[in-house]
């Protein structure tokens, strides 16, 4: 099939490369010509494992091309995926202007039947509003299918090629049949393809992300309670997760969830409900609870150090999670801002996100420095705080790290280290709800 994907961001580019890998002919449309030129040279606009290889392979095979000419790509395509950003406006509502503008352009330049598949995350009712809006714009014959994505940064390719499910929302049999055809390679893997109405498809995306955010928040609250009671949050998470009704995933405590989706989608879901006259107290409490974690981490340090004023804190990890250079709503940056506010100086290192973090913290240049290695970042530090679960941090030489420091405090916000091992290397260890080290090792040996 001939397909077009509009918007070569984190969703659109992955979708374009993966759809080409299914065997379709895909044209990726990107408004910025310099990004198109870079993509043609296999230079990715962001880091995503495996993406460069997939783009290269499919460009070489002649199935994937890039252009900034929307009209040309649309003319050739039967189905057009729209993957433009819907980043929040200052009011907190998603900004749907790019989606509407692009859709208008599409229908204005088409003369034969097209299917528009909405990949962008949009509030309930958007497809219906868009349909009504476009009907007044141009006579072109088209249908809309809501097709939300569930890609996780760091494993986006795998998620697209082997999804848990595909959601197709709409009411046109013709368009839904065509959309099914696009995803036909997934039938071989027996991927569930759910066909629902537009409103359900739109809500499924928010419900999924809000549920994940709630699950993480729940275990983070348990970690706080474990700290007060001496229980071990990993024993709790494992036992709770073994209950098949609950499942083991997304029960890892940390500094709070971040990124471009979970925080935004949880807020939007609560706001959407308010606009429909409903209150969702559970969903509303999730961001509130999540925002208490970084202040708790700072208080822990202050308890041990007296004050952060004049102290140097080494921050390891700035990305909101591993395998990405994305720092949007990263708890690590929130931690840095709070530590700076409390008077600390920051020496930071992230394997990929130093540059993105430097941009986000540009106003704080005097008190934050970025380093190419964790050991350089730790030089002269009074405390080290590990905020992102990079694999290379798991295997850090703790003795070497300690040797670089002035102090001996290790705040392990992701519970990457064995507390006893860290203590043996001379650290005073602070984790998230680790209880006594004895119960941690018992869980480990029971698992082993
Ligand atoms: C999420 C959804 O998982 C994905 O389906 C959706 O399409 C986009 O939003 P992503 O933002 O890439 O994906 O990250 P994810 O891996 O879900 O993690 C989100 C945040 O939760 C990160 O800050 C992560 O560190 C945190 N997290 C995740 C935890 O603190 N504990 C966990 O157990 C899991």
């Amino acid at each position: 099939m001939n397909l077009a994907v509009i918007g070569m961001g984190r969703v659109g580019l992955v979708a374009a490369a993966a759809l080409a890998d299914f065997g379709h002919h895909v044209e990726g449309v990107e408004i910025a010509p310099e990004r198109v030129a870079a993509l043609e040279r296999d230079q990715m606009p962001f880091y995503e494992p495996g993406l460069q290889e997939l783009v290269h392979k499919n460009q070489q095979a002649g199935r994937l091309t890039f252009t900034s000419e929307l009209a040309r790509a649309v003319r050739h395509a039967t189905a057009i995926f729209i993957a433009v950003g819907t980043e929040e406006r200052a009011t907190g509502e998603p900004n749907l202007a790019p989606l509407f503008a692009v859709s208008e352009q599409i229908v204005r330049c088409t003369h034969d039947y097209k299917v528009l598949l909405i990949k962008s995350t949009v509030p309930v009712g958007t497809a219906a509003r868009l349909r009504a809006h476009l009907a007044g714009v141009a006579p072109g014959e088209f249908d809309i299918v809501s097709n939300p994505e569930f890609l996780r940064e760091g494993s986006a390719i795998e998620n697209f090629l082997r999804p848990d499910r595909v959601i197709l929302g709409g009411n046109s049999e013709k368009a839904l049949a065509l959309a099914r055809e696009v995803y036909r390679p997934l039938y071989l893997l027996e991927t569930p393809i759910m066909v629902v109405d537009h409103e359900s498809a739109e809500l499924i995306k928010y419900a999924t992300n809000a549920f994940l955010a709630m699950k993480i928040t729940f275990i983070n609250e348990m970690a706080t309670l474990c700290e007060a009671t001496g229980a071990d949050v990993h024993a709790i998470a494992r036992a709770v997760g073994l209950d098949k009704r609950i499942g083991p995933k997304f029960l890892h405590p940390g500094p709070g969830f971040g990124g471009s989706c979970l925080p935004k989608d949880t807020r939007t879901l609560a706001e959407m409900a308010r606009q429909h006259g409903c209150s969702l107290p559970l969903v509303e409490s999730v961001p509130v609870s999540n925002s208490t974690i970084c202040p708790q981490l700072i208080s822990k340090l202050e308890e041990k150090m007296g004050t952060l004023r004049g102290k140097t804190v080494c921050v390891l990890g700035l990305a909101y999670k591993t395998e990405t250079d994305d720092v949007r709503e990263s708890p690590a940056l929130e931690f840095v801002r709070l530590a700076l506010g409390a008077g600390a100086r920051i020496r930071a290192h992230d394997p990929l996100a130093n540059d993105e973090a430097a941009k986000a913290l540009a106003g704080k240049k005097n008190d934050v420095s970025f380093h190419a290695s964790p050991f350089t970042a730790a030089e002269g530090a009074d405390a080290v705080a590990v905020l992102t679960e990079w694999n290379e941090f798991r295997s850090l030489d703790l003795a070497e790290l300690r040797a670089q420091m002035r102090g001996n405090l290790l705040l392990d916000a992701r519970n990457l280290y064995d507390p006893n091992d860290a203590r043996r290397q001379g650290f005073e260890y602070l984790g998230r709800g680790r209880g006594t080290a004895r119960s941690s090792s018992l869980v480990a040996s029971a698992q082993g």
Side-chain angles (χ1 to χ4, degrees), residues 149-154 159 205 208-209 212 216 219-220 249-262 265 320-322 329 331 389 414:
E149 57 76 22
F150 302 94
L151 307 180
R152 291 176 72 187
E153 288 182 26
N159 296 155
K205 174 63 192 272
T208 305
N209 276 354
L212 292 172
I216 299 166
I219 204 66
N220 278 326
K249 298 204 172 139
F250 276 61
L251 284 177
H252 194 86
F257 61 81
S260 66
C261 292
L262 262 45
D265 292 351
Y320 77 96
K321 65 171 199 177
T322 182
E329 302 213 29
E389 73 283 26
R414 297 274 185 176

Side-chain angles (χ1 to χ4, degrees), residues 69 72 103 105 167 207 234 238 265 267 292 336 356 361:
E69 286 176 52
R72 199 192 75 188
S103 307
Q105 283 183 50
I167 305 298
H234 291 293
R238 180 157 161 77
D265 292 351
R267 287 192 295 265
T292 62
V336 167
E356 290 301 313
L361 295 166

Side-chain angles (χ1 to χ4, degrees), residues 35-220:
R35 196 175 264 206
V36 171
L39 284 168
E40 282 170 344
R41 293 193 304 273
D42 287 337
Q43 285 172 3
M44 301 300 106
F46 49 82
Y47 176 74
E48 179 63 44
L51 182 61
Q52 190 179 33
E53 293 79 355
L54 201 69
V55 167
H56 177 75
K57 173 183 157 198
N58 285 286
Q59 286 207 94
Q60 290 289 304
R63 287 189 299 261
L64 179 62
T65 49
F66 299 102
T67 181
S68 42
E69 286 176 52
L70 181 130
R72 199 192 75 188
V74 164
R75 239 189 331 271
H76 295 146
T78 328
I80 300 142
F81 287 85
I82 307 179
V84 293
T86 55
E87 277 79 20
E88 289 164 303
R89 294 174 187 275
T91 54
E93 280 173 284
N95 180 7
L96 300 178
L99 169 71
F100 274 61
V102 156
S103 307
E104 264 191 52
Q105 283 183 50
I106 295 171
V107 295
R108 276 187 207 283
C109 64
T110 62
H111 302 288
D112 51 351
Y113 179 73
K114 305 285 179 195
V115 176
L116 275 57
L117 292 105
I118 305 181
K119 275 246 158 267
S120 309
T121 301
V122 293
V124 178
T126 301
R129 271 180 51 214
L130 184 62
R131 161 104 245 164
H133 175 78
L134 295 178
V137 167
E141 203 202 332
F142 67 91
D143 277 310
I144 298 175
V145 171
S146 301
N147 178 214
E149 57 76 22
F150 302 94
L151 307 180
R152 291 176 72 187
E153 288 182 26
S155 53
I157 308 274
E158 172 70 12
N159 296 155
F160 200 102
L161 296 176
R162 275 170 278 280
D164 290 342
R165 76 298 207 192
V166 171
I167 305 298
L168 301 175
N171 41 25
S172 150
E173 283 309 322
K174 186 175 170 187
L176 290 167
L178 206 133
R180 278 176 182 279
E181 193 54 28
V182 170
Y183 286 102
R184 198 154 59 101
L186 295 179
Y187 290 127
L188 297 174
L189 304 173
E190 298 184 6
T191 306
I193 309 238
M194 266 183 81
V195 176
V196 296
D197 54 274
H198 279 299
E199 288 71 19
S200 303
E202 289 163 340
L203 191 50
I204 282 167
K205 174 63 192 272
Y206 288 99
T208 305
N209 276 354
F211 193 89
L212 292 172
M214 185 184 77
K215 213 172 167 190
I216 299 166
T217 301
F218 181 83
I219 204 66
N220 278 326

